[in-house]
């Protein structure tokens, strides 16, 4: 009697799996593996939009270029925001770290005057300028989301 019940449960599980959509099965399998198996989001995952980078270009020229230069090369008083030194110094950190650094220390003569949206727009421009791919959705200024996106120098 017990083996019949076990067999009936197994048949029910198999029938359920066979009739489930591929997306449902994939979601169930992803859930069963747990969060440690989910791939981390990085700046290589197209985390900003081209339109946002355009807004960031305008904001950068208006707010940042006076110190960091129009070509992001920096000056005696301001670090470069492009190239291997810049990318390498931020590699492994989150976009929240970069956002917080800009928010709390820029501009050096009046830190904290830029809005969160202005900062992420400028960050999108910096990502585009450094060759990271754009996507369909703009980068958000929400700290929890920015904390989950890693700045990686090399494509994973």
């Amino acid at each position: 009697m017990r083996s019949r019940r076990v067999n009936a449960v197994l048949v029910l599980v198999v029938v359920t799996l066979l009739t489930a959509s591929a997306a449902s099965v994939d979601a169930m399998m992803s859930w069963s593996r747990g969060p440690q198996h989910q791939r981390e989001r990085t700046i290589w995952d197209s985390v900003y939009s081209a339109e946002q980078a355009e807004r960031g270009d305008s904001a950068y020229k208006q707010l940042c270029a006076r110190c960091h230069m129009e070509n992001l090369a920096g000056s005696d008083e301001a670090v470069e925001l492009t190239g291997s030194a810049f990318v390498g110094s931020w590699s492994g950190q989150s976009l929240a770290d970069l956002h917080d650094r800009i928010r709390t220390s820029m501009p050096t003569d009046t830190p904290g005057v830029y809005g969160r949206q202005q900062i992420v727009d400028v960050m999108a421009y910096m990502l585009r300028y450094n060759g990271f791919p754009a996507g369909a959705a703009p980068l958000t200024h929400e700290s929890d989301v920015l904390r989950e996106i890693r700045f990686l120098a090399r494509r994973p």
Side-chain angles (χ1 to χ4, degrees):
M1 179 81 159
R2 186 164 199 203
S3 66
R4 281 186 169 168
R5 243 188 258 164
V6 170
N7 286 342
V9 169
L10 287 174
V11 167
L12 181 60
V13 167
V14 169
V15 168
T16 301
L17 286 174
L18 290 174
T19 58
S21 70
S24 298
V25 171
D26 187 47
M28 287 189 295
M29 295 305 290
S30 173
W31 176 81
S32 70
R33 287 190 298 266
Q36 69 275 13
H37 294 288
Q38 296 174 0
R39 190 174 80 72
E40 180 178 60
R41 285 185 73 199
T42 75
I43 57 175
W44 292 98
D45 293 324
S46 305
V47 297
Y48 69 93
S49 69
E51 295 82 15
Q52 183 177 36
E54 285 300 315
R55 285 194 312 270
D57 182 2
S58 297
Y60 177 87
K61 287 176 181 164
Q62 180 184 17
L63 305 171
C64 311
R66 68 183 172 106
C67 296
H68 293 279
M69 311 307 287
E70 196 160 321
N71 63 358
L72 284 72
S75 65
D76 292 338
E77 297 133 19
V79 299
E80 63 185 338
L81 302 175
T82 188
S84 60
F86 169 74
V87 172
S89 69
W90 286 98
S91 192
Q93 297 186 56
S94 74
L95 287 187
D97 296 328
L98 178 59
H99 186 277
D100 290 346
R101 173 71 184 271
I102 296 168
R103 186 176 54 80
T104 60
S105 65
M106 295 292 124
T108 56
D109 54 350
T110 54
V113 297
Y114 301 145
R116 292 180 179 272
Q117 189 62 52
Q118 284 178 309
I119 295 168
V120 293
D121 289 350
V122 168
M123 288 170 54
Y125 170 65
M126 291 165 55
L127 290 172
R128 183 182 75 187
Y129 196 94
N130 282 284
F132 298 103
L139 183 63
T140 181
H141 62 77
E142 294 177 30
S143 297
D144 291 344
V145 175
L146 292 174
R147 199 169 288 113
E148 295 174 359
I149 304 171
R150 291 276 156 229
F151 195 113
L152 293 182
R154 295 184 184 188
R155 187 182 295 269

